[in-house]
Coordinates of all heavy atoms in Angstrom, one line a residue:
M61 N 113.7 -65.6 -149.2 CA 114.9 -66.4 -148.9 C 114.8 -66.8 -147.4 O 114.5 -66.0 -146.6 CB 116.1 -65.6 -149.1 CG 117.4 -66.3 -148.9 SD 118.8 -65.4 -149.6 CE 119.3 -64.4 -148.3
K62 N 114.9 -68.1 -147.2 CA 114.8 -68.6 -145.8 C 116.2 -69.3 -145.5 O 116.7 -70.1 -146.2 CB 113.7 -69.6 -145.7 CG 113.3 -69.8 -144.4 CD 111.8 -70.4 -144.4 CE 111.2 -70.2 -143.0 NZ 109.8 -70.4 -143.0
I63 N 116.7 -68.9 -144.3 CA 118.0 -69.4 -143.9 C 117.8 -70.5 -142.9 O 117.1 -70.4 -142.0 CB 118.9 -68.3 -143.3 CG1 119.0 -67.1 -144.3 CG2 120.2 -68.8 -142.9 CD1 119.3 -65.8 -143.6
K64 N 118.6 -71.6 -143.2 CA 118.6 -72.7 -142.2 C 120.0 -73.0 -141.8 O 120.9 -73.0 -142.6 CB 118.0 -73.9 -142.9 CG 116.5 -73.8 -143.2 CD 115.9 -75.1 -143.4 CE 114.4 -75.0 -143.2 NZ 113.7 -76.2 -143.4
I65 N 120.1 -73.4 -140.5 CA 121.5 -73.8 -140.1 C 121.3 -75.2 -139.5 O 120.4 -75.4 -138.7 CB 122.0 -72.8 -139.0 CG1 122.2 -71.4 -139.6 CG2 123.3 -73.4 -138.4 CD1 122.6 -70.4 -138.7
D66 N 122.2 -76.1 -139.9 CA 122.2 -77.4 -139.3 C 122.9 -77.3 -137.9 O 124.1 -77.2 -137.9 CB 122.9 -78.3 -140.2 CG 123.2 -79.7 -139.6 OD1 122.6 -79.9 -138.5 OD2 123.9 -80.5 -140.2
Q67 N 122.1 -77.2 -136.9 CA 122.7 -76.9 -135.6 C 123.7 -78.0 -135.1 O 124.7 -77.8 -134.4 CB 121.6 -76.8 -134.5 CG 120.6 -75.6 -134.7 CD 121.2 -74.3 -134.4 OE1 122.4 -74.2 -133.9 NE2 120.5 -73.3 -134.6
E68 N 123.4 -79.2 -135.6 CA 124.2 -80.4 -135.2 C 125.7 -80.2 -135.7 O 126.6 -80.5 -135.0 CB 123.7 -81.7 -135.8 CG 122.3 -82.0 -135.2 CD 122.5 -82.9 -133.9 OE1 123.2 -83.9 -134.0 OE2 121.9 -82.4 -132.9
G69 N 125.7 -79.6 -136.9 CA 127.0 -79.5 -137.6 C 127.8 -78.3 -137.2 O 129.0 -78.2 -137.4
C70 N 127.1 -77.2 -136.7 CA 127.7 -76.0 -136.4 C 128.8 -76.1 -135.3 O 128.5 -76.7 -134.3 CB 126.7 -75.0 -135.9 SG 127.4 -73.4 -135.4
I71 N 130.0 -75.7 -135.6 CA 131.1 -75.8 -134.6 C 131.3 -74.5 -133.8 O 132.2 -74.4 -133.0 CB 132.4 -76.2 -135.3 CG1 132.8 -75.2 -136.3 CG2 132.3 -77.6 -135.9 CD1 134.2 -75.4 -136.9
G72 N 130.4 -73.5 -134.0 CA 130.4 -72.4 -133.2 C 131.6 -71.5 -133.4 O 132.1 -70.8 -132.5
C73 N 132.2 -71.5 -134.6 CA 133.4 -70.6 -134.9 C 133.1 -69.2 -134.8 O 134.0 -68.4 -134.6 CB 133.9 -71.0 -136.2 SG 133.0 -70.5 -137.6
G74 N 131.8 -68.8 -135.0 CA 131.5 -67.3 -135.0 C 131.7 -66.5 -136.2 O 131.4 -65.3 -136.3
S75 N 132.2 -67.2 -137.3 CA 132.5 -66.4 -138.5 C 131.2 -65.8 -139.1 O 131.3 -64.7 -139.6 CB 133.1 -67.4 -139.5 OG 134.3 -67.9 -139.1
C76 N 130.1 -66.5 -139.1 CA 128.9 -66.0 -139.8 C 128.4 -64.8 -139.0 O 128.0 -63.8 -139.6 CB 127.8 -67.1 -139.9 SG 127.4 -67.8 -138.4
Q77 N 128.5 -64.9 -137.7 CA 128.1 -63.7 -136.9 C 129.0 -62.5 -137.1 O 128.5 -61.4 -137.2 CB 128.0 -64.0 -135.4 CG 127.6 -62.9 -134.5 CD 127.7 -63.2 -133.1 OE1 126.7 -63.3 -132.4 NE2 128.9 -63.3 -132.5
A78 N 130.2 -62.8 -137.2 CA 131.2 -61.7 -137.4 C 130.9 -61.0 -138.8 O 131.0 -59.8 -138.9 CB 132.6 -62.2 -137.4
I79 N 130.6 -61.7 -139.8 CA 130.4 -61.2 -141.1 C 129.0 -60.6 -141.3 O 128.8 -59.7 -142.1 CB 130.8 -62.3 -142.1 CG1 131.6 -61.7 -143.3 CG2 129.6 -63.0 -142.7 CD1 132.3 -62.8 -144.0
C80 N 128.1 -61.1 -140.6 CA 126.7 -60.8 -140.9 C 125.9 -60.8 -139.6 O 124.9 -61.5 -139.4 CB 126.1 -61.8 -141.8 SG 124.7 -61.2 -142.8
P81 N 126.2 -59.8 -138.7 CA 125.6 -59.8 -137.3 C 124.1 -59.5 -137.3 O 123.4 -59.8 -136.3 CB 126.4 -58.8 -136.6 CG 127.0 -57.9 -137.6 CD 127.2 -58.8 -138.8
D82 N 123.6 -58.9 -138.4 CA 122.1 -58.7 -138.4 C 121.3 -60.0 -138.6 O 120.1 -60.0 -138.3 CB 121.7 -57.7 -139.5 CG 122.2 -56.3 -139.2 OD1 122.5 -56.0 -138.0 OD2 122.3 -55.5 -140.1
V83 N 121.9 -61.0 -139.1 CA 121.2 -62.2 -139.4 C 121.6 -63.3 -138.5 O 120.7 -64.1 -138.1 CB 121.5 -62.6 -140.9 CG1 120.8 -63.9 -141.2 CG2 121.1 -61.5 -141.8
F84 N 122.9 -63.4 -138.1 CA 123.3 -64.6 -137.3 C 123.7 -64.1 -135.9 O 124.3 -63.1 -135.7 CB 124.5 -65.3 -138.0 CG 124.2 -65.7 -139.4 CD1 124.7 -65.0 -140.5 CD2 123.5 -66.9 -139.6 CE1 124.4 -65.5 -141.7 CE2 123.2 -67.3 -140.9 CZ 123.7 -66.6 -142.0
E85 N 123.3 -64.9 -135.0 CA 123.6 -64.6 -133.6 C 124.0 -65.8 -132.8 O 123.3 -66.9 -132.9 CB 122.3 -64.0 -133.0 CG 122.4 -63.6 -131.6 CD 121.0 -63.1 -131.1 OE1 120.0 -63.5 -131.5 OE2 121.1 -62.2 -130.2
M86 N 125.0 -65.6 -132.0 CA 125.3 -66.7 -131.0 C 124.8 -66.2 -129.7 O 125.1 -65.2 -129.2 CB 126.9 -66.8 -131.0 CG 127.4 -67.2 -132.4 SD 129.1 -67.7 -132.3 CE 129.0 -69.3 -131.6
K87 N 123.9 -67.1 -129.2 CA 123.3 -66.7 -127.9 C 123.3 -67.9 -127.0 O 123.4 -69.0 -127.5 CB 121.9 -66.2 -128.1 CG 121.0 -67.2 -128.8 CD 119.6 -66.7 -128.9 CE 118.7 -67.8 -129.6 NZ 117.3 -67.3 -129.9
G88 N 123.3 -67.7 -125.8 CA 123.2 -68.8 -124.9 C 124.6 -69.5 -124.8 O 125.6 -69.0 -125.2
D89 N 124.6 -70.6 -124.1 CA 125.9 -71.2 -123.8 C 126.2 -72.4 -124.7 O 127.2 -73.1 -124.4 CB 125.9 -71.7 -122.3 CG 125.6 -70.6 -121.3 OD1 126.1 -69.4 -121.7 OD2 125.0 -70.8 -120.3
D90 N 125.4 -72.7 -125.6 CA 125.6 -73.9 -126.3 C 126.6 -73.8 -127.5 O 126.9 -74.7 -128.2 CB 124.3 -74.5 -126.8 CG 123.5 -73.6 -127.8 OD1 124.0 -72.5 -128.0 OD2 122.5 -73.9 -128.3
N91 N 127.1 -72.5 -127.7 CA 128.1 -72.3 -128.8 C 127.5 -72.6 -130.2 O 128.3 -73.1 -131.0 CB 129.3 -73.2 -128.5 CG 130.6 -72.3 -128.7 OD1 130.4 -71.1 -128.7 ND2 131.7 -72.9 -128.8
K92 N 126.3 -72.4 -130.4 CA 125.7 -72.6 -131.7 C 125.1 -71.3 -132.2 O 124.8 -70.4 -131.4 CB 124.5 -73.6 -131.6 CG 124.8 -75.0 -131.0 CD 125.5 -75.8 -132.0 CE 125.8 -77.2 -131.4 NZ 126.7 -78.0 -132.3
V93 N 125.0 -71.2 -133.4 CA 124.5 -70.0 -134.0 C 123.1 -70.1 -134.4 O 122.6 -71.2 -134.7 CB 125.4 -69.6 -135.2 CG1 124.8 -69.9 -136.5 CG2 125.8 -68.1 -135.2
Y94 N 122.4 -69.0 -134.2 CA 120.9 -68.9 -134.5 C 120.7 -67.8 -135.5 O 121.4 -66.9 -135.7 CB 120.2 -68.6 -133.2 CG 120.2 -69.8 -132.2 CD1 121.3 -69.8 -131.3 CD2 119.2 -70.7 -132.2 CE1 121.4 -70.9 -130.4 CE2 119.3 -71.8 -131.3 CZ 120.4 -71.9 -130.4 OH 120.5 -72.9 -129.6
V95 N 119.6 -68.0 -136.2 CA 119.2 -67.0 -137.2 C 118.3 -66.0 -136.5 O 117.2 -66.3 -136.0 CB 118.5 -67.7 -138.4 CG1 118.0 -66.7 -139.4 CG2 119.4 -68.7 -139.1
K96 N 118.7 -64.7 -136.6 CA 117.8 -63.7 -136.0 C 116.7 -63.3 -136.9 O 115.6 -63.0 -136.6 CB 118.7 -62.4 -135.8 CG 119.5 -62.5 -134.5 CD 120.7 -61.5 -134.6 CE 120.2 -60.1 -134.2 NZ 121.4 -59.1 -134.1
E97 N 117.1 -63.2 -138.2 CA 116.2 -62.6 -139.2 C 116.0 -63.7 -140.3 O 116.9 -63.8 -141.1 CB 116.9 -61.3 -139.7 CG 116.0 -60.3 -140.4 CD 115.0 -59.7 -139.5 OE1 115.3 -59.2 -138.4 OE2 113.8 -59.9 -139.9
N98 N 114.9 -64.3 -140.3 CA 114.8 -65.5 -141.2 C 114.4 -65.1 -142.6 O 114.7 -65.8 -143.5 CB 113.9 -66.5 -140.6 CG 114.4 -67.9 -141.0 OD1 115.2 -68.1 -141.9 ND2 113.9 -68.9 -140.3
E99 N 113.7 -64.0 -142.7 CA 113.3 -63.6 -144.1 C 114.1 -62.4 -144.5 O 113.7 -61.3 -144.2 CB 111.8 -63.3 -144.0 CG 110.9 -64.4 -143.6 CD 110.8 -65.5 -144.7 OE1 111.0 -65.2 -145.9 OE2 110.3 -66.6 -144.3
V100 N 115.2 -62.7 -145.2 CA 116.0 -61.5 -145.6 C 116.0 -61.5 -147.1 O 116.1 -62.6 -147.8 CB 117.4 -61.6 -145.1 CG1 117.4 -61.1 -143.6 CG2 118.0 -62.9 -145.2
D101 N 115.9 -60.3 -147.7 CA 115.9 -60.2 -149.1 C 117.2 -60.0 -149.8 O 117.6 -60.8 -150.6 CB 114.9 -59.1 -149.5 CG 113.5 -59.5 -149.4 OD1 113.2 -60.7 -149.5 OD2 112.7 -58.6 -149.1
K102 N 117.9 -59.0 -149.4 CA 119.1 -58.7 -150.1 C 120.3 -58.6 -149.2 O 121.1 -57.7 -149.2 CB 119.0 -57.3 -150.8 CG 118.1 -57.4 -151.9 CD 118.0 -56.0 -152.6 CE 116.8 -55.9 -153.5 NZ 116.4 -54.6 -153.8
A103 N 120.4 -59.6 -148.3 CA 121.6 -59.6 -147.4 C 122.7 -60.3 -148.1 O 122.9 -61.5 -148.1 CB 121.2 -60.3 -146.1
E104 N 123.6 -59.5 -148.7 CA 124.8 -60.0 -149.4 C 125.7 -60.8 -148.4 O 126.4 -61.7 -148.8 CB 125.6 -58.9 -150.1 CG 124.9 -58.4 -151.3 CD 125.6 -57.3 -151.9 OE1 126.8 -57.1 -151.7 OE2 125.0 -56.5 -152.7
C105 N 125.6 -60.3 -147.2 CA 126.5 -60.9 -146.2 C 126.1 -62.4 -145.9 O 126.9 -63.2 -145.5 CB 126.6 -60.1 -144.9 SG 125.0 -59.9 -144.0
V106 N 124.8 -62.7 -146.2 CA 124.4 -64.1 -146.0 C 125.2 -65.0 -146.9 O 125.7 -66.1 -146.5 CB 122.9 -64.3 -146.3 CG1 122.5 -65.7 -146.3 CG2 122.1 -63.5 -145.2
Q107 N 125.3 -64.6 -148.1 CA 126.1 -65.4 -149.1 C 127.6 -65.5 -148.6 O 128.2 -66.6 -148.7 CB 126.0 -64.8 -150.5 CG 126.7 -65.7 -151.6 CD 126.1 -67.2 -151.6 OE1 124.9 -67.4 -151.7 NE2 127.0 -68.2 -151.5
E108 N 128.1 -64.4 -148.1 CA 129.5 -64.4 -147.7 C 129.6 -65.4 -146.5 O 130.6 -66.1 -146.3 CB 129.9 -63.0 -147.2 CG 130.2 -62.1 -148.4 CD 130.5 -60.7 -147.9 OE1 131.2 -60.5 -146.9 OE2 130.0 -59.7 -148.5
A109 N 128.6 -65.4 -145.6 CA 128.7 -66.3 -144.5 C 128.6 -67.7 -144.9 O 129.3 -68.6 -144.4 CB 127.5 -66.0 -143.5
I110 N 127.7 -68.0 -145.9 CA 127.7 -69.4 -146.5 C 129.0 -69.8 -147.0 O 129.5 -70.9 -146.8 CB 126.6 -69.4 -147.6 CG1 125.2 -69.3 -147.0 CG2 126.7 -70.7 -148.4 CD1 124.1 -69.0 -148.0
D111 N 129.7 -68.9 -147.7 CA 131.0 -69.2 -148.3 C 132.1 -69.4 -147.2 O 133.0 -70.2 -147.4 CB 131.4 -68.1 -149.3 CG 130.5 -68.0 -150.5 OD1 129.8 -69.0 -150.7 OD2 130.5 -67.0 -151.1
I112 N 131.9 -68.7 -146.1 CA 133.0 -68.7 -145.1 C 132.8 -69.8 -144.1 O 133.8 -70.2 -143.4 CB 133.2 -67.3 -144.5 CG1 134.6 -67.1 -144.0 CG2 132.2 -67.2 -143.3 CD1 134.9 -65.7 -143.6
C113 N 131.6 -70.3 -144.0 CA 131.4 -71.3 -142.9 C 132.2 -72.6 -143.2 O 132.2 -73.2 -144.2 CB 129.9 -71.7 -142.9 SG 129.5 -73.1 -141.8
P114 N 133.1 -72.9 -142.2 CA 134.1 -74.0 -142.5 C 133.4 -75.3 -142.5 O 134.0 -76.3 -143.1 CB 135.0 -73.9 -141.2 CG 134.2 -73.2 -140.2 CD 133.3 -72.3 -140.9
V115 N 132.2 -75.5 -142.0 CA 131.6 -76.8 -142.1 C 130.3 -76.8 -143.0 O 129.6 -77.8 -143.0 CB 131.2 -77.3 -140.7 CG1 132.5 -77.8 -140.0 CG2 130.5 -76.3 -139.8
Q116 N 130.1 -75.7 -143.7 CA 129.0 -75.6 -144.7 C 127.7 -76.0 -144.2 O 127.0 -76.8 -144.8 CB 129.4 -76.5 -145.9 CG 130.8 -76.3 -146.3 CD 131.0 -75.8 -147.7 OE1 130.5 -76.5 -148.7 NE2 131.5 -74.6 -147.9
V117 N 127.3 -75.5 -143.0 CA 126.0 -75.8 -142.5 C 124.9 -74.8 -142.7 O 123.8 -75.0 -142.3 CB 126.1 -76.2 -141.0 CG1 126.9 -77.5 -140.8 CG2 126.7 -75.0 -140.2
I118 N 125.3 -73.7 -143.3 CA 124.3 -72.6 -143.6 C 123.7 -72.9 -145.0 O 124.4 -73.0 -146.0 CB 124.9 -71.2 -143.6 CG1 125.6 -71.0 -142.3 CG2 123.8 -70.2 -143.8 CD1 126.5 -69.7 -142.2
K119 N 122.4 -73.0 -145.0 CA 121.7 -73.2 -146.3 C 120.6 -72.2 -146.5 O 120.1 -71.7 -145.5 CB 121.0 -74.6 -146.3 CG 121.9 -75.7 -145.9 CD 122.6 -76.3 -147.0 CE 123.4 -77.6 -146.5 NZ 124.7 -77.7 -147.1
V120 N 120.3 -71.9 -147.7 CA 119.1 -71.0 -148.0 C 118.1 -71.7 -148.9 O 118.5 -72.5 -149.7 CB 119.5 -69.7 -148.6 CG1 120.2 -68.8 -147.6 CG2 120.3 -69.8 -149.8
E121 N 116.9 -71.4 -148.6 CA 115.8 -71.9 -149.5 C 115.2 -70.6 -150.1 O 115.0 -69.6 -149.4 CB 114.7 -72.6 -148.7 CG 115.1 -73.9 -148.1 CD 114.1 -74.5 -147.1 OE1 113.0 -73.8 -146.9 OE2 114.3 -75.5 -146.7
K122 N 115.0 -70.7 -151.4 CA 114.5 -69.5 -152.1 C 113.0 -69.6 -152.3 O 112.5 -70.7 -152.3 CB 115.2 -69.3 -153.4 CG 116.7 -69.0 -153.0 CD 117.5 -68.4 -154.2 CE 118.9 -68.1 -153.7 NZ 119.8 -68.1 -154.8
Ligands
SF4_216 S1 130.2 -70.0 -139.7 FE1 129.2 -72.1 -139.7 S2 130.2 -73.2 -138.0 FE2 130.8 -71.1 -137.8 S3 129.2 -70.4 -136.2 FE3 128.4 -70.0 -138.3 S4 127.1 -71.7 -138.8 FE4 128.5 -72.3 -137.1

């Protein structure tokens, strides 16, 4: 599973990091979220983050 975030669309709300900090990380000053761990197998929180993202910019490729 490969996670992709559309950086342009991310509004930096921090929800994905709050729900799944092993995978998503807000670093730097640009208020965008980055993927820490791109190859994750059974991270249920990834799906929760996808569901909770208010602008739906988190995608996964299987
Ligand atoms: S939940 Fe969506 S909008 Fe919020 S920080 Fe994560 S990717 Fe960005």
